[in-house]
């Protein structure tokens, strides 16, 4: 009996974990690269500066990551893996109704771009800096996230829950709105996180033509 109760407790604690954000769990070299890229941009940052921020020698940094490009790729891969995991978990927990799934994926996108805003910002602005060998992989991750939103909106339209005549355009507009939060939101600003989520969720519902019964 006690084993079963323990498992249930673990499952219960796991629910909603996609909403939980602490400090990013990045290896020291990636955390240093993130801070430098966010401040100076990829091309404005030297390997020597990243090494200094990480309290490593340049050879010591190269022991972990053999190039500045590998640091950028490692950072963006972790960023997208985290985002996709949270979004998928949010949608799965939301159940079968399109509007519940839509609210969940919108909230997940908003929270990520509020609480991981530096990572999201670097990911949005440094695509041009990625080598060809990884750029397609990264764009594939982004497309996967967009398809997640698209599929929910199309399902809602098919079910008669959403009335937009332009589901794909509406889906793209909603995702773009959520991503854009990373360029201006501040956790210590005038607008609290939960208030921003409530406002933008309503804006997102308006975009897809959903009216609560």
């Amino acid at each position: 009996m006690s084993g079963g109760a323990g498992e249930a407790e673990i499952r219960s604690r796991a629910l909603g974990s996609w909403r939980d954000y602490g400090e990013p769990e990045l290896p020291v070299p990636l955390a240093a690269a993130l801070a430098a890229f966010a401040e100076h941009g990829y091309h404005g940052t030297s390997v020597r500066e990243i090494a200094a921020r990480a309290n490593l020698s340049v050879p010591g940094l190269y022991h972990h990551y053999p190039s500045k490009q590998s640091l950028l790729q490692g950072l963006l891969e972790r960023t997208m893996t985290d985002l996709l995991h949270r979004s998928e978990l949010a949608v799965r927990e939301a159940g079968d109704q399109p509007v519940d799934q839509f609210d969940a994926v919108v909230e997940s996108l908003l929270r990520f771009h509020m609480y991981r805003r530096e990572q999201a910002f670097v990911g949005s602005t440094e695509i041009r800096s990625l080598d060809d060998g990884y750029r397609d992989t990264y764009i594939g991750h982004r497309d996967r996230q967009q398809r997640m939103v698209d599929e929910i909106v199309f399902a809602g339209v098919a079910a008669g829950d959403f009335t937009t005549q332009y589901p794909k355009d509406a889906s793209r507009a909603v995702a773009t709105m959520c991503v854009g939060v990373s360029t201006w939101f501040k956790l210590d600003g005038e607008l609290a996180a939960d208030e921003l989520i409530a406002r933008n969720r309503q804006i997102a519902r308006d975009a897809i033509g959903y009216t609560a019964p």
Side-chain angles (χ1 to χ4, degrees), residues 123-152:
S124 295
T125 57
E126 297 297 350
I127 296 177
R128 65 187 184 278
S129 302
L130 289 170
D131 286 352
D132 292 341
Y134 179 73
R135 186 182 295 113
D136 288 346
T137 299
Y138 181 72
I139 291 173
H141 291 326
R142 290 179 54 143
D143 289 348
R144 179 178 160 194
Q145 176 65 70
Q146 184 62 60
R147 282 195 303 272
M148 199 183 308
V149 184
D150 292 347
E151 289 167 2
I152 293 168

Side-chain angles (χ1 to χ4, degrees), residues 25-61:
E25 296 180 358
L26 295 173
V28 170
L30 291 187
L34 172 61
F37 294 158
E39 186 174 345
H40 302 300
Y42 177 79
H43 291 293
T45 297
S46 68
V47 171
R48 188 173 298 279
E49 178 181 356
I50 295 171
R53 286 175 182 256
N55 292 318
L56 293 168
S57 65
V58 171
L61 179 65

Side-chain angles (χ1 to χ4, degrees), residues 100-176:
D100 295 332
Q101 294 181 351
F102 181 75
D103 285 349
V105 77
V106 167
E107 180 181 346
S108 179
L109 282 168
L110 288 168
R111 286 191 184 278
F112 186 87
H113 288 85
M114 288 188 292
Y115 289 98
R116 294 290 182 265
R117 58 191 302 262
E118 282 193 340
Q119 287 176 248
F121 175 76
V122 171
S124 295
T125 57
E126 297 297 350
I127 296 177
R128 65 187 184 278
S129 302
L130 289 170
D131 286 352
D132 292 341
Y134 179 73
R135 186 182 295 113
D136 288 346
T137 299
Y138 181 72
I139 291 173
H141 291 326
R142 290 179 54 143
D143 289 348
R144 179 178 160 194
Q145 176 65 70
Q146 184 62 60
R147 282 195 303 272
M148 199 183 308
V149 184
D150 292 347
E151 289 167 2
I152 293 168
V153 174
F154 276 108
V157 170
D161 297 337
F162 306 158
T163 61
T164 177
Q165 297 180 45
Y166 310 105
K168 193 163 189 177
D169 296 320
S171 178
R172 298 291 170 87
V174 167
T176 300

Side-chain angles (χ1 to χ4, degrees), residues 72-92:
L72 179 61
Q73 291 182 18
L75 177 63
L76 296 193
E77 187 67 19
R78 281 175 174 263
T79 298
M80 291 308 300
T81 298
D82 188 20
L83 171 61
L84 287 165
H85 173 72
R86 290 175 185 274
S87 294
E88 289 167 351
L89 188 58
V91 172
R92 188 161 61 245

